[in-house]
Amino acid sequence: DSGVTQTPKHLITATGQRVTLRCSPRSGDLSVYWYQQSLDQGLQFLIQYYNGEERAKGNILERFSAQQFPDLHSELNLSSLELGDSALYFCASSGGQDLYEQYFGPGTRLTVT
Amino acid sequence: DAKTTQPTSMDCAEGRAANLPCNHSTISGNEYVYWYRQIHSQGPQYIIHGLKNNETNEMASLIITEDRKSSTLILPHATLRDTAVYYCIVRDFNQAGTALIFGKGTTLSVSS
């Protein structure tokens, strides 16, 4: 158990819809990262937040957005969903005493039909 | 980040040592070598990292060549639960708090 929690575990929705994925980082970790893993693209970095502020952006689509709240949990919002957005979405956290390691949650499997 | 090259797949018999190679010929002096693994559809898991000295922890050993152009991750007694994709990642010391860039990794299959 990494200490990072993600909800929901599975999500099935239709094209055009909007969903919100939630992540709670390890206690004491200030950084939250979101990654997407699809069959054809592998693990790709989407966005990072540090202590409530956006720190870095990766290959995140404009239809996607994220935020980190004062209690340090984070949400990833995916809108106007397309079939190609079907993937595993992982959240990771770092900071505190383990700056060099990232701890990944179990992921949310999104299926867009 | 420097690029890494890993074999696509490897096989290992249960109980034997699994030696996973990684080439990082363009690594610079400030860059660490990290290893993560991903067991089927689970979140990636940190294994070990090192700069130039060999490192060992409860999961594995990391051997880095003297010129730092390659490294080997060693799982001393592989079990079926070690079947996973193993990622070798090179990151600058100053990028400790930044995102990981994953390649395709090595799929290790451990069989009985």
Side-chain angles (χ1 to χ4, degrees):
Chain A
D1 183 0
S2 67
V4 178
T5 60
Q6 290 187 248
T7 57
K9 286 187 179 179
H10 303 277
L11 200 50
I12 301 175
T13 189
T15 55
Q17 296 298 305
R18 172 190 170 95
V19 297
T20 298
L21 313 183
R22 182 187 169 103
C23 167
S24 293
R26 289 192 324 154
S27 177
D29 284 356
L30 299 178
S31 273
V32 168
Y33 311 78
W34 287 97
Y35 294 84
Q36 178 193 57
Q37 186 172 35
S38 57
L39 282 176
D40 56 344
Q41 294 291 329
L43 267 162
Q44 290 204 314
F45 166 64
L46 295 179
I47 196 165
Q48 177 194 0
Y49 276 80
Y50 178 83
N51 202 21
E53 306 225 344
E54 182 183 302
R55 172 66 68 91
K57 270 188 175 180
N59 299 320
I60 189 166
L61 300 172
E62 285 191 10
R63 301 183 285 108
F64 296 0
S65 65
Q67 55 185 328
Q68 186 179 27
F69 295 86
D71 66 352
L72 300 178
H73 90 272
S74 177
E75 293 181 355
L76 179 66
N77 301 297
L78 315 176
S79 62
S80 303
L81 285 168
E82 303 175 358
L83 296 177
D85 297 327
S86 295
L88 272 167
Y89 291 84
F90 291 106
C91 166
S93 73
S94 73
Q97 295 181 350
D98 297 310
L99 188 59
Y100 296 100
E101 303 175 27
Q102 287 186 21
Y103 295 85
F104 284 77
T108 292
R109 181 176 293 279
L110 173 66
T111 303
V112 182
T113 62
Chain B
D1 288 336
K3 291 184 178 179
T4 62
T5 304
Q6 300 178 250
T8 301
S9 63
M10 295 184 64
D11 295 318
C12 180
E14 190 176 23
R16 304 298 294 269
N19 298 294
L20 292 91
C22 178
N23 286 321
H24 30 79
S25 58
T26 60
I27 193 169
S28 65
N30 289 334
E31 289 179 318
Y32 281 74
V33 179
Y34 288 77
W35 284 84
Y36 279 75
R37 74 179 181 182
Q38 185 177 24
I39 297 170
H40 179 64
S41 295
Q42 297 180 21
Q45 176 189 26
Y46 165 83
I47 301 173
I48 198 167
H49 75 278
L51 183 62
K52 54 183 177 181
N53 298 320
N54 298 337
E55 302 286 345
T56 296
N57 62 21
E58 65 279 3
M59 288 184 67
S61 295
L62 174 60
I63 309 297
I64 302 174
T65 58
E66 193 168 343
D67 64 7
R68 301 186 68 241
K69 292 184 177 183
S70 66
S71 60
T72 301
L73 179 75
I74 301 173
L75 307 179
H77 306 287
T79 70
L80 298 179
R81 287 178 293 182
D82 292 321
T83 293
V85 179
Y86 287 78
Y87 298 97
C88 172
I89 300 169
V90 172
R91 300 176 77 217
D92 191 278
F93 172 85
N94 295 314
Q95 294 179 319
T98 63
L100 295 165
I101 307 300
F102 290 88
K104 296 188 182 303
T106 296
T107 298
L108 175 67
S109 299
V110 181
S111 57
S112 57

